[in-house]
Amino acid sequence: MGDSVPVPVPVLEGEEKLIAAAHQIVKALHNKKDFLTHDARKILADLGSQLMSSITKLDTLQQSNSKSLEDQLNILQNKIMSWEELEDHQSVIWNCGQEYVHDYLTSVDQLLKFTQQLESNNLGVDKPLDDLLISRAHQLVRTAMNRLQQEFKHLLVQNKQPFQPEHMSFRSNEDDDTSIASFGDDSLEDVLQRDSMSRRSEEYISVVELVHPDVIPDLRCIANLMFNSNYSTDCSQAFVNVRRDALDDFLFILEADKLCIDDVLKMEWNSLNSKIRRWIRCMNIFVRVYLASEKWLSDQIFGELDHSVSSVCFVESSKGSILHLLKFAESVAIGSHQPEKLIRILDMYEVLSDLMPDIDVMFSDDAGLCVRTECQHILTSLAGCARTTFLEFEHAVASSVSANPFRGGGIHHLTRYVMNYMKTLTDYSKILNELLKGDEEEEDSPQDMTPDREEEEEDNSNGSSCYISPLAQYFRSFTSILECNLDDKSKLYKDESLGHLFLMNNIHYMAEKVKNSHDLRTILGDDWIRKHNWRFQQHAMNYERATWSSILSLLREEGVHNPGSNSISRTLLKERLQCFYAAFDEVYKSQTGWLIQDSQLRDDLRISTSLKVIQAYRTFIGRHSNHISDKYIKYGPDDMENFLLDLFEGSPRSLHGSSHRGK
């Protein structure tokens, strides 16, 4: 603890009255035209002698007072400079205990008051000595402030708390994630379902202690001393430098790589997808936890000063890190618009949009305007990118061309991709409806209307219109374009029956996908489902007609009689039966290799086909049992029924070598 420093007391009292009296004497002497009397001369001589004596005494007193102030400054200098003479490892005051801390802070406080008193008093006689004392005091204050700045940085660095919240263990989830497939990849169904399930709200703790709470009062005390001593810049810069490094360290822990725009634009999709997922989690933790905690720390330390101080220190320490994260989002937004990127772009848009209220609050002052402006700019860029990518998806569906027919007539990977893509997009219905608002009107040109859009216009003209969201309009357009594309692909089949089976499979898949998804059903509506149920059933009937009509015509009565009589020609019956078996064997060989993946649809078509074929075959055999020898009956009705159950399994089989198994 230091000795108390006495406040200098003014050496002259009633100085104003003394000066006024002197002025009066000077004025009277100036106005005196004749000689002074003897008495006047004696009084003035006595006054002069007294003045000289008083001036001599006052000079002596002021010199003594200056000497006393110099002694006091020497005492303070010894206390403050004693810490500058120690070795580095011994010179950290806060490492030596609270008694030394209190003693040093008291000495600094006394020095500040002493310096202010020197500056506010005009000591008068020994001006060079006064200037020297003030210069020494200022130099000592500068030394003390430099010391406090180093102590301030030391406290911030040495008392930094480790930041490892439990929810930061997200990297294991990233490693397990399968990248969103490229356009048309038939592996997309499981991927998107898995990815959609992982898109859930996470709970974050609001604020964590980034610096040990025990040293907050000391940090606040140092900040107050430095700001009150006009060393605010030194204190602020020390805080900003230390906390900026801490934020960079945290981004390193989160593996938020510093990538330039070119690096992002050249990145393969699998790598970019992984980095976007990491960015999403990083932004949530960084803004909602780390920045919130950083703002709280700044308020705790600088809260007793002007409000703008805390805000400026927080912004200056954190803006570099958040602008770095935003730069990655901007790089993604200006990149290409492949359909597989849309889900991730919407995720980024959604995250940043959700974080905007928090960002606006934390960066609410003028100092944070640059951050708020940049966030809004990136949000707008992501919105434009999402909108363009969404519309590009429609173009990609329309322009997907196949040179060869799809094997087995099964569900085309494009159908799976489009329907699962749409199903996943339903999670973003609110966002997409906002982004697409107004765009759908531009897409309604008559020459671009698809069948579903024409039906929609017809329904509206009949007075049955109701509000259809932008997303619903685009989804209807997607499915119509997909059907047109599938229709073109069906024409690649040389076998008309297989073309119908292909369309039946794919339209049934579309209808079932919508029916079994609450969100898709809500968006497209039950009328859409009914229309597509009717369409795939029509293709099922067309398949039966194209496959079996000509074959079953061989089992009709027409043309089996002898010419010119009503008698049955055994030869014609035999030929008819042989042709039927040959055609049936060919159907069996080819259509066992065709594929209907949906078991219910497969069974329904088998049953429908069996009813028609077996009934006609059984009737034909029964009616002509007296005219046909058993040796010409290759298969019994039960055999035929079992053979039909082998169809549509996707594995070609043959009936060659099969023997007669009875009626």
Side-chain angles (χ1 to χ4, degrees):
M1 300 293 291
D3 299 331
S4 61
V5 179
V7 179
V9 180
V11 295
L12 296 176
E13 296 183 0
E15 187 174 331
E16 293 180 358
K17 294 181 179 181
L18 180 62
I19 293 173
H23 277 301
Q24 289 294 327
I25 293 173
V26 172
K27 184 177 180 182
L29 290 173
H30 179 75
N31 293 331
K32 186 68 177 177
K33 302 299 183 181
D34 50 4
F35 295 101
L36 293 171
T37 64
H38 176 74
D39 292 338
R41 289 179 177 180
K42 186 177 184 301
I43 291 172
L44 289 175
D46 291 341
L47 178 60
S49 298
Q50 187 173 352
L51 284 173
M52 289 299 296
S53 176
S54 297
I55 289 172
T56 301
K57 290 179 180 179
L58 287 173
D59 286 345
T60 303
L61 179 60
Q62 287 183 341
Q63 290 173 0
S64 175
N65 190 47
S66 294
K67 183 64 175 176
S68 175
L69 291 174
E70 185 177 10
D71 291 340
Q72 294 165 22
L73 182 58
N74 288 337
I75 293 172
L76 292 172
Q77 180 171 328
N78 289 336
K79 290 188 174 184
I80 289 173
M81 294 305 295
S82 64
W83 289 96
E84 306 304 319
E85 299 168 359
L86 299 175
E87 297 290 337
D88 289 344
H89 67 278
Q90 297 175 325
S91 63
V92 179
I93 302 173
W94 262 261
N95 286 350
C96 299
Q98 283 299 312
E99 180 181 352
Y100 292 95
V101 170
H102 184 268
D103 183 49
Y104 189 85
L105 292 177
T106 301
S107 298
V108 173
D109 185 58
Q110 290 174 348
L111 174 62
L112 296 176
K113 292 177 181 178
F114 178 83
T115 305
Q116 291 172 357
Q117 290 161 359
L118 283 178
E119 294 173 337
S120 64
N121 288 278
N122 182 11
L123 301 182
V125 176
D126 195 352
K127 186 66 174 174
L129 179 60
D130 296 343
D131 292 341
L132 180 60
L133 286 177
I134 292 175
S135 177
R136 283 183 57 198
H138 283 164
Q139 182 62 40
L140 193 57
V141 169
R142 187 176 298 110
T143 300
M145 292 301 111
N146 288 340
R147 159 66 54 181
L148 288 177
Q149 183 187 40
Q150 295 305 314
E151 297 285 339
F152 188 78
K153 292 170 65 175
H154 173 80
L155 286 174
L156 284 173
V157 172
Q158 295 301 316
N159 293 278
K160 183 174 70 173
Q161 297 279 77
F163 184 67
Q164 292 290 343
E166 293 180 0
H167 55 256
M168 277 181 55
S169 60
F170 63 83
R171 271 169 279 177
S172 60
N173 292 335
E174 281 182 16
D175 296 337
D176 293 338
D177 174 59
T178 304
S179 171
I180 294 180
S182 299
F183 179 78
D185 193 326
D186 59 4
S187 67
L188 182 72
E189 181 171 11
D190 292 338
V191 173
L192 288 182
Q193 287 177 351
R194 234 183 358 260
D195 194 65
S196 180
M197 290 174 63
S198 67
R199 179 177 169 262
R200 57 183 181 275
S201 60
E202 298 182 68
E203 294 295 329
Y204 297 96
I205 52 179
S206 56
V207 171
V208 296
E209 292 172 336
L210 301 177
V211 173
H212 199 287
D214 289 350
V215 301
I216 296 297
D218 292 330
L219 290 167
R220 187 186 303 119
C221 179
I222 295 175
N224 291 342
L225 266 176
M226 295 187 71
F227 270 78
N228 292 335
S229 307
N230 296 322
Y231 280 80
S232 57
T233 301
D234 300 70
C235 183
S236 300
Q237 197 59 49
F239 177 85
V240 169
N241 290 341
V242 172
R243 294 313 306 165
R244 183 186 292 152
D245 290 344
L247 286 167
D248 287 342
D249 290 343
F250 179 63
L251 289 182
F252 178 78
I253 292 173
L254 291 180
E255 299 181 14
D257 302 328
K258 291 188 176 182
L259 302 169
C260 67
I261 292 178
D262 287 341
D263 291 336
V264 176
L265 295 179
K266 295 175 183 177
M267 197 172 295
E268 293 291 333
W269 168 238
N270 287 348
S271 298
L272 181 59
N273 176 50
S274 178
K275 290 191 181 298
I276 292 175
R277 288 175 61 86
R278 186 177 300 157
W279 181 91
I280 290 168
R281 291 173 172 83
C282 181
M283 278 295 291
N284 272 316
I285 298 173
F286 187 73
V287 173
R288 289 192 169 135
V289 182
Y290 204 92
L291 282 189
S293 303
E294 194 70 34
K295 184 71 168 71
W296 186 50
L297 174 64
S298 181
D299 290 341
Q300 284 183 301
I301 295 174
F302 301 105
E304 294 180 356
L305 303 168
D306 186 87
H307 172 70
S308 63
V309 173
S310 173
S311 178
V312 169
C313 288
F314 165 71
V315 171
E316 289 302 313
S317 63
S318 62
K319 71 178 181 181
S321 297
I322 191 168
L323 291 178
H324 156 63
L325 289 172
L326 292 174
K327 181 63 68 176
F328 174 79
E330 181 183 27
S331 302
V332 173
I334 66 176
S336 58
H337 302 113
Q338 294 102 323
E340 60 265 25
K341 290 176 60 177
L342 179 57
I343 304 301
R344 288 287 170 256
I345 294 168
L346 290 173
D347 284 337
M348 296 178 78
Y349 177 86
E350 183 180 48
V351 166
L352 188 55
S353 180
D354 289 345
L355 292 175
M356 280 303 297
D358 297 307
I359 292 172
D360 286 340
V361 169
M362 287 188 285
F363 296 90
S364 59
D365 293 344
D366 291 342
L369 178 61
C370 63
V371 174
R372 300 198 310 273
T373 302
E374 184 65 12
C375 284
Q376 194 58 55
H377 167 70
I378 300 302
L379 196 63
T380 302
S381 298
L382 288 171
C385 180
R387 187 163 45 244
T388 303
T389 305
F390 181 87
L391 299 177
E392 180 63 25
F393 173 70
E394 184 177 47
H395 173 72
V397 175
S399 59
S400 175
V401 178
S402 299
N404 300 307
F406 192 69
R407 182 173 176 271
I411 302 167
H412 199 279
H413 52 73
L414 179 65
T415 307
R416 293 182 182 277
Y417 188 95
V418 171
M419 297 309 299
N420 286 294
Y421 200 90
M422 288 169 53
K423 182 180 178 182
T424 303
L425 289 180
T426 60
D427 288 345
Y428 305 86
S429 295
K430 183 178 179 181
I431 296 174
L432 284 170
N433 279 321
E434 292 174 359
L435 297 180
L436 298 171
K437 194 175 297 180
D439 284 351
E440 72 278 0
E441 297 175 1
E442 301 175 6
E443 299 293 321
D444 284 346
S445 56
Q447 64 269 26
D448 294 333
M449 281 196 177
T450 56
D452 273 355
R453 186 64 64 86
E454 291 176 356
E455 291 177 13
E456 178 185 317
E457 291 293 321
E458 183 179 349
D459 289 343
N460 291 343
S461 65
N462 292 334
S464 60
S465 63
C466 60
Y467 172 74
I468 300 175
S469 69
L471 186 59
Q473 293 188 41
Y474 275 107
F475 273 15
R476 292 186 179 189
S477 176
F478 288 171
T479 56
S480 295
I481 291 172
L482 174 60
E483 288 178 63
C484 290
N485 192 303
L486 292 172
D487 190 61
D488 290 340
K489 288 176 174 26
S490 72
K491 295 173 183 176
L492 297 174
Y493 293 103
K494 295 179 180 179
D495 190 326
E496 180 187 357
S497 301
L498 186 52
H500 286 299
L501 187 86
F502 171 77
L503 290 173
M504 177 200 71
N505 269 326
N506 284 269
I507 296 176
H508 173 267
Y509 178 85
M510 294 168 64
E512 288 297 299
K513 204 70 179 179
V514 174
K515 183 174 70 174
N516 295 326
S517 167
H518 172 76
D519 292 330
L520 276 178
R521 186 167 191 159
T522 301
I523 292 173
L524 290 173
D526 289 337
D527 283 344
W528 186 96
I529 296 174
R530 282 192 290 270
K531 289 176 182 177
H532 286 76
N533 281 339
W534 179 83
R535 286 177 187 172
F536 87 74
Q537 289 167 1
Q538 285 295 112
H539 285 295
M541 288 189 291
N542 290 339
Y543 152 78
E544 290 182 339
R545 187 179 300 112
T547 299
W548 296 104
S549 292
S550 60
I551 297 176
L552 294 181
S553 66
L554 296 171
L555 302 180
R556 293 174 185 167
E557 289 297 310
E558 294 83 355
V560 296
H561 296 82
N562 288 313
S565 70
N566 291 327
S567 62
I568 300 296
S569 171
R570 295 179 181 272
T571 302
L572 290 176
L573 285 177
K574 176 184 174 183
E575 291 175 355
R576 285 278 191 93
L577 203 55
Q578 288 175 340
C579 289
F580 172 79
Y581 288 140
F584 184 87
D585 287 354
E586 189 60 33
V587 167
Y588 183 89
K589 179 181 178 181
S590 61
Q591 296 195 14
T592 51
W594 296 1
L595 181 63
I596 299 178
Q597 287 163 300
D598 184 90
S599 59
Q600 186 62 52
L601 179 62
R602 184 170 61 245
D603 290 343
D604 288 345
L605 188 59
R606 284 170 175 172
I607 291 171
S608 176
T609 300
S610 181
L611 287 175
K612 295 178 177 65
V613 174
I614 301 305
Q615 179 63 34
Y617 180 70
R618 193 186 300 275
T619 300
F620 184 84
I621 295 298
R623 180 180 295 117
H624 301 293
S625 58
N626 295 328
H627 303 92
I628 304 175
S629 172
D630 287 347
K631 66 180 180 178
Y632 297 117
I633 299 177
K634 190 175 182 181
Y635 311 124
D638 292 340
D639 298 325
M640 295 280 290
E641 190 169 1
N642 289 330
F643 293 151
L644 290 175
L645 294 179
D646 293 335
L647 303 184
F648 317 129
E649 291 287 352
S651 299
R653 299 171 67 176
S654 175
L655 289 176
H656 291 316
S658 298
S659 60
H660 166 66
R661 287 180 263 179
K663 294 183 182 181

